[in-house]
Amino acid sequence: MPYQQLPLPDPPLPALLRQLDFDRMARYRECLDFYQGRHWPGRPRRGERRLTFNYARAIVDKVTGYLLAGASVQVAGDETPAGLERARLAERALRRVEAANGVSQLDFETELDCAVLGDGAYRVAWDAAAGEVRITAPDVQGIFAWRDPADPNRLTAVAHRYRAGEEELIEYWTPGGFELWRGSTLEERLPNPYGFIPYVVFPNVREPKQAWGSSDIPPLVEANRELNRAFSQLSQVLELSGNPIAVLEGVTGSEDITVEPGAIWEVPEDARAYLLDLLQGGGVALHTAYIDLLYRVLHDLGESPRTAFGHNPQGLSGVALNTELDPIARKVERKRRIRTAVYERRAWMVLQLLARFEGLEAEGLRPVMQWGPVLPADRSRQVQDARLLVASGIISRRTAAASLGIDDPEAEAARVREEAG
């Protein structure tokens, strides 16, 4: 179908974008501020102590680390020798692109950003100057997406707003066309050179009936703020107890009462002087008990048990340890259901660009996402289980190798045959 020149939008695209997604952008800013440690609202009162312990950031970082454990994309084709060879070559090309773009680090940074803001995005495009595929992760705060009303997962258009030096640029992509805006001026309008929108826009965790995702931060906000307040109060109590308050009873004047080392006070015969003990009656124990309660609430809401941070006083292992860590495993599994389609789509785009610009044979090939175990596993037991599944004809050697975290099973199998020969 030939590309059709469409009339300019009214208002023009730059003006239109400035009218969109105010709530989403405000939500992004609030979550990012909290992740960066800006927990206390307003200005502090005079003499007010404000301690900040950023548990929200620690929990988000921890879950993201669990999410990407053992992640890799394999390429599958038909089971004929020719199909297997094409899949092996495509997988090697995919690994080359991933290495050139530093995908491992890019993915971690993007997943962390996605967990904080609630949404993420990848861009896959051909760099004509360098003659290679570029995978980038644009700031989702500059991404605007239009979707098929019948299928919110299907993008019908994407606008990407970003700054290049002092100028604001906007790229507008549809399956059939591409526009480049410089400021408020349409500089370029061309047919889409790829035949698909080169963006993957995805939610952190999908909310029912919502196009955009939700952040990991909001459930932690109130508990983390209360924990900060509790720590600040306890810190002030302990400081005052180390610098005790002198109480004088029956004294009506302040003459001859000086506050200095070695000072001697003369008070009336019926007066009484003593130090105020702020720790009497188990006051500190009440504070620490409340802090422990807040700890539990914070970890429960974050679905990240303290065991995930190495706190295991009972020495749990095996099934008992997995049960203890089950909340974080379930949270990671929810995210992985979304990410499987994301990383497979991104790999598909890479293969399509390699086929278009480098002549790679990608017809009939499909990317398959492989994930490692979420929870700690006995490596020898994993190998034993994989051997049994292969021997029983349930899975292939290639699938077994991928499940054990081998990025390129075909190349590894070739090395094994080479050593055996």
Side-chain angles (χ1 to χ4, degrees):
M1 181 178 178
Y3 172 64
Q4 296 180 347
Q5 293 280 352
L6 300 177
L8 292 177
D10 187 22
L13 184 62
L16 177 63
L17 296 186
R18 287 192 286 270
Q19 301 172 14
L20 296 178
D21 291 353
F22 288 111
D23 292 342
R24 177 167 68 96
M25 298 304 167
R27 186 172 69 248
Y28 288 167
R29 287 191 295 272
E30 291 171 3
C31 292
L32 187 59
D33 284 347
F34 201 87
Y35 176 79
Q36 293 175 340
R38 290 187 278 274
H39 293 184
W40 293 86
R43 293 180 176 273
R45 300 187 301 273
R46 184 173 182 177
E48 181 186 12
R49 175 166 300 180
R50 289 185 169 186
L51 300 180
T52 301
F53 296 91
N54 202 342
Y55 275 85
R57 180 170 189 152
I59 290 175
V60 168
D61 291 355
K62 176 64 67 175
V63 174
T64 303
Y66 273 83
L67 172 64
L68 292 173
S72 66
V73 180
Q74 313 297 325
V75 178
D78 57 61
E79 295 302 315
T80 64
L84 293 175
E85 178 65 15
R86 287 193 304 116
R88 184 179 67 84
L89 293 175
E91 200 166 281
R92 285 185 175 179
L94 182 61
R95 295 287 173 266
R96 171 172 55 82
V97 171
E98 290 175 346
N101 287 274
V103 162
S104 296
Q105 181 66 24
L106 180 69
D107 286 350
F108 182 80
E109 294 173 356
T110 303
E111 288 293 353
L112 198 55
D113 203 40
C114 182
V116 173
L117 299 179
D119 299 289
Y122 287 109
R123 183 180 190 270
V124 183
W126 180 257
D127 186 341
E132 60 185 11
V133 176
R134 290 289 185 194
I135 300 175
T136 56
D139 185 355
V140 74
Q141 296 178 88
I143 295 292
F144 301 83
W146 289 262
R147 307 168 193 268
D148 185 341
D151 182 8
N153 293 323
R154 181 173 174 269
L155 298 176
T156 58
V158 169
H160 179 196
R161 182 174 61 193
Y162 57 95
R163 298 199 70 83
E166 297 298 321
E167 293 184 306
E168 181 181 83
L169 302 181
I170 299 174
E171 296 182 20
Y172 180 71
W173 293 85
T174 65
F178 164 74
E179 295 177 358
L180 176 63
W181 293 75
R182 190 177 299 275
S184 58
T185 304
L186 178 60
E187 186 168 283
E188 229 177 357
R189 174 180 268 186
L190 302 168
N192 187 329
Y194 308 137
F196 57 85
I197 297 174
Y199 289 82
V200 185
V201 182
F202 59 97
N204 171 49
V205 177
R206 191 180 301 282
E207 292 189 354
K209 312 302 182 186
Q210 298 296 320
W212 297 97
S214 59
S215 166
D216 288 351
I217 294 292
L220 307 173
V221 168
E222 194 58 40
N224 205 155
R225 280 180 173 162
E226 186 63 21
L227 186 66
N228 291 337
R229 283 193 288 267
F231 268 121
S232 299
Q233 291 168 357
L234 179 57
S235 173
Q236 195 142 19
V237 168
L238 292 176
E239 182 181 13
L240 291 175
S241 68
N243 298 278
I245 299 172
V247 179
L248 303 178
E249 292 183 355
V251 177
T252 58
S254 59
E255 296 83 1
D256 299 325
I257 297 178
T258 59
V259 180
E260 61 183 26
I264 298 176
W265 297 342
E266 294 184 4
V267 297
E269 184 176 348
D270 58 345
R272 189 164 70 97
Y274 61 92
L275 297 178
L276 182 63
D277 185 3
L278 297 176
L279 304 183
Q280 66 181 351
V284 171
L286 291 175
H287 281 281
T288 56
Y290 183 52
I291 287 173
D292 284 339
L293 178 62
L294 289 174
Y295 270 139
R296 193 175 75 180
V297 170
L298 192 62
H299 284 285
D300 286 350
L301 293 176
E303 299 176 75
S304 302
R306 293 186 67 184
T307 311
F309 292 82
H311 182 77
N312 188 10
Q314 297 174 317
L316 299 176
S317 62
V319 175
L321 179 61
N322 287 353
T323 301
E324 182 79 10
L325 292 171
D326 187 65
I328 196 171
R330 299 298 177 189
K331 184 172 187 176
V332 169
E333 289 292 347
R334 291 200 304 272
K335 292 192 176 190
R336 284 184 173 182
R337 291 191 189 101
I338 297 171
R339 302 310 190 270
T340 295
V342 170
Y343 290 119
E344 288 179 353
R345 176 67 178 175
R346 187 182 71 181
W348 178 86
M349 290 181 180
V350 171
L351 296 180
Q352 294 303 306
L353 293 180
L354 292 175
R356 186 180 189 90
F357 296 101
E358 292 188 358
L360 178 74
E361 294 185 39
E363 187 67 28
L365 301 181
R366 57 186 180 85
V368 179
M369 189 67 196
Q370 298 284 347
W371 298 100
V374 178
L375 302 180
D378 185 338
R379 181 71 170 179
S380 60
R381 179 59 183 272
Q382 283 183 277
V383 173
Q384 183 180 358
D385 290 346
R387 290 180 60 187
L388 290 174
L389 291 172
V390 171
S392 303
I394 297 175
I395 64 174
S396 67
R397 291 176 182 271
R398 190 170 184 275
T399 301
S403 69
L404 293 172
I406 298 174
D407 288 340
D408 193 344
E410 292 295 338
E412 191 66 29
R415 285 190 286 267
V416 170
R417 290 193 295 269
E418 181 183 347
E419 291 178 357

